[in-house]
Amino acid sequence: MNNNTEIKKTSFFRGLTGQILIAMFLGATLGIILHNYISHDAAVEFSNKIKMLATIFIRLVQMIISPLVFTTLVVGIAKLGDIKTVGRIGGKALAWFFTASFISLLIGLFYINILQPGVGLKLDHVDMSAATEVTGKTQSLSFENFIAHIVPKSIFEAMATNEILQIVIFSIFFGLAAASLGTSVKPVINALDKMSHIVLKMVNYVMNFAPIGVFGAIAGVFAVRDAEELLITYFKFFGSFLIGISTLWVVLIIVGYIFLKGRMTELLRRIMGPVAIAFGTTSSEAVFPKLTEELEEFGVKDKIVSFMLPLGYSFNLDGSMMYMTFASIFIAQFYGVHLDIGTQMVMLLVLMLTSKGIAGVPRASLVVVAATCGMFDIPIEGIAIILPIDHFCDMFRSATNVLGNALATSVVGKWEADKEINFDAVDSNS
C-alpha cells in the first residue's frame, strides 16, 4: 500500500501538472523575495527579463496553432463527408456555446448585484493613464467590424496573425470542397492527416517548456506587485469574483456529470495539465494543442475535436463571459451609475454578441468591458480601476475557458455517439 502511494506521488510530480504546480510555487516564492529585498526599478527590470520565459513558451505554442487548426479541421470536415453533417454538428456546437455564454453572464450578473463589491469602494492613486492601451482598441469593436473581420482577406495573413476564426472559415470551405470531390483528393487529405500528426508530435516537445514558461510568468508578476497589499485592497472585488467563478465551475462540472456520467471524472483528470498551464500563463490559447491531444486520447474523435475546439476558442469563453458582466457593473457601482434590471439584461445581450469577435485580441475581456461601458454611459476610464487586479482574475477565467471548451467538445462528441463516440460500447466492455 505504501509503495503504491509512493509511486503515485512520484509519478504525479514527474507529470506535467505536478511540474507546473511546482513551477508556480517556485516562481511565486522567488518573485515575493525579490519584491521585498530589491528596489522597484530592479524588480521591474527583472520582471521584464524573466517574463521572456513565458513569452518564448507562448510563442512556441502559437507557432503550431495555425497549421494544427488548418490540417485537423480540413481532415475532420473531409471525414464528416457533407454539408448536412457539418451543419448538424455546427448547430449543436453553437447552441451549446450561446447557452453556456448566457448562463455565464447570468452568474456574473447575479453575484455582482447580490454582493455589490463596487458600492462605497474608495481607491486612491488609481493610474487612469494605464487604461489608454485598452480603451484605444474599443473604437474598432463594432458589429460591422466583427462581420468583416471573420472573413479572411488572405489565409496566409490569417495564419501569420493566428486569427483562429478566420482560419476556421477558410478550412470549412476547403474541407467541404475536398469532400465534394470524392476519392480524387484522397492523397491531399492523407497528406494533411499525416501533417497533423507531425504537428501533434511537436506539441509533446513544446509542452516540455510549459513549467519554465509558467515559472517566468508567475515570478515576473510577483516581483513587481505586492500581492498581499493588492488582494487586501481589492478583497471584496476579488473575493466576489472567486465566488462567481467557483459557481460557474460547479455548474459546468454538474452539467458534465449529467451528460458524460462517470466519464466526467476521467475528463477532469486529463485536462488538469492544460488547466494548470492556462492558469499559470493566463493564456487559454497556450493549451490549444495539448487540449486537442488530451481530448482525442479521452475518446472524442479527431474530426469532432478539430471542428469543435477552434469554434469554441472563438465563441465559448465561459470564464471571460462571467467576468465581463461582473467587471462592467462593478465599474458602474464604483461611479454610482444606477442600472436597473432591464438595462442590465440589455447589457448582458450586448456582451453576448460583441464578445464573439474578440478571440486573439490581447486583454480581450477588458476591451469588451470598456466598449460596453461606453455604450451605457459608464465612465470608460473606469477600466483603470480593475487593471491592477486583472492579471489574477485572468488566471481563473483562462482556466475556466479551458474547462468550458473541453466539456463542450466532449458533450457534442457524445451527442454524435453513433458516428463519433461509442460510449455504450465502452461501458459494456469495461
Side-chain angles (χ1 to χ4, degrees):
M1 179 76 73
N2 291 335
N3 289 337
N4 290 336
T5 304
E6 191 173 325
I7 289 172
K8 286 180 180 178
K9 287 181 179 178
T10 304
S11 61
F12 172 78
F13 285 110
R14 285 182 178 175
L16 182 63
T17 305
Q19 291 173 11
I20 290 168
L21 292 176
I22 292 172
M24 290 172 64
F25 173 77
L26 293 176
T29 302
L30 176 62
I32 291 170
I33 291 173
L34 292 177
H35 178 80
N36 291 327
Y37 290 100
I38 64 176
S39 67
H40 178 72
D41 291 341
V44 170
E45 185 178 354
F46 168 81
S47 177
N48 291 335
K49 286 183 168 59
I50 198 71
K51 279 183 178 179
M52 286 300 297
L53 295 176
T55 302
I56 291 170
F57 169 66
I58 291 175
R59 288 177 71 90
L60 283 171
V61 174
Q62 290 173 331
M63 172 183 72
I64 57 182
I65 285 178
S66 292
L68 180 64
V69 171
F70 175 70
T71 56
T72 56
L73 188 50
V74 168
V75 172
I77 290 174
K79 288 179 180 179
L80 288 175
D82 54 36
I83 295 178
K84 183 178 179 181
T85 305
V86 173
R88 183 184 70 246
I89 297 174
K92 291 176 180 177
L94 291 177
W96 179 282
F97 295 160
F98 277 95
T99 302
S101 295
F102 189 71
I103 292 172
S104 301
L105 288 165
L106 279 178
I107 290 174
L109 192 69
F110 174 78
Y111 280 110
I112 196 68
N113 280 290
I114 294 297
L115 301 175
Q116 298 188 335
V119 176
L121 183 65
K122 302 295 181 184
L123 294 177
D124 298 324
H125 311 298
V126 175
D127 183 9
M128 292 300 179
S129 63
T132 306
E133 179 188 354
V134 175
T135 56
K137 297 173 183 175
T138 61
Q139 297 174 352
S140 61
L141 190 66
S142 66
F143 180 75
E144 292 81 3
N145 289 338
F146 165 61
I147 294 299
H149 184 70
I150 64 175
V151 181
K153 292 184 293 184
S154 164
I155 183 58
F156 300 105
E157 180 186 10
M159 286 187 165
T161 54
N162 271 335
E163 292 284 356
I164 293 180
L165 190 54
Q166 293 186 5
I167 298 171
V168 167
I169 296 296
F170 178 85
S171 301
I172 289 174
F173 277 100
F174 193 99
L176 289 173
S180 69
L181 293 174
T183 56
S184 62
V185 296
K186 195 171 183 181
V188 176
I189 300 302
N190 288 338
L192 289 174
D193 192 20
K194 288 181 172 60
M195 187 183 297
S196 70
H197 283 90
I198 292 173
V199 176
L200 283 171
K201 186 65 177 176
M202 291 173 65
V203 171
N204 294 325
Y205 300 148
V206 170
M207 283 303 124
N208 291 328
F209 293 92
I212 299 173
V214 169
F215 172 81
I218 296 295
V221 171
F222 280 91
V224 296
R225 300 200 177 195
D226 189 329
E228 183 179 354
E229 181 181 340
L230 198 63
L231 293 177
I232 290 173
T233 303
Y234 285 90
F235 174 78
K236 195 173 181 183
F237 172 82
F238 192 62
S240 302
F241 168 74
L242 289 182
I243 293 173
I245 209 75
S246 299
T247 302
L248 180 55
W249 268 71
V250 170
V251 170
L252 289 172
I253 291 173
I254 289 174
V255 170
Y257 276 105
I258 290 173
F259 286 104
L260 301 178
K261 307 209 172 358
R263 297 209 70 205
M264 183 62 189
T265 303
E266 182 188 349
L267 177 65
L268 290 172
R269 181 180 61 80
R270 284 192 171 277
I271 67 171
M272 278 302 102
V275 165
I277 295 172
F279 183 84
T281 61
T282 66
S283 172
S284 52
E285 186 182 62
V287 302
F288 181 95
K290 182 64 175 175
L291 191 58
T292 299
E293 186 179 52
E294 290 292 350
L295 289 173
E296 288 182 3
E297 291 183 5
F298 174 66
V300 186
K301 290 293 185 181
D302 55 357
K303 54 190 175 183
I304 298 294
V305 175
S306 61
F307 185 75
M308 285 289 299
L309 267 191
L311 285 178
Y313 268 68
S314 296
F315 291 100
N316 190 46
L317 303 174
D318 298 335
S320 298
M321 299 299 288
M322 179 263 157
Y323 181 76
M324 287 175 196
T325 43
F326 193 89
S328 299
I329 300 176
F330 170 79
I331 295 171
Q333 290 177 353
F334 179 83
Y335 282 104
V337 178
H338 175 70
L339 299 172
D340 58 41
I341 294 299
T343 304
Q344 290 185 30
M345 292 304 295
V346 173
M347 178 185 284
L348 184 147
L349 294 175
V350 168
L351 283 167
M352 189 161 67
L353 294 174
T354 56
S355 63
K356 300 308 178 189
I358 45 82
V361 176
R363 284 186 157 169
S365 298
L366 291 179
V367 173
V368 175
V369 169
T372 305
C373 287
M375 293 179 195
F376 290 86
D377 296 325
I378 302 167
I380 194 171
E381 64 272 14
I383 203 76
I385 299 165
I386 58 176
L387 274 177
I389 198 72
D390 182 69
H391 182 91
F392 297 99
C393 295
D394 201 7
M395 296 170 78
F396 288 92
R397 63 180 187 250
S398 296
T400 307
N401 292 340
V402 173
L403 172 64
N405 278 312
L407 179 60
T409 302
S410 301
V411 171
V412 171
K414 186 180 186 304
W415 286 343
E416 291 291 307
D418 293 338
K419 297 182 179 65
E420 313 303 338
I421 307 174
N422 193 344
F423 277 82
D424 294 333
V426 172
D427 291 338
S428 62
N429 290 333
S430 57

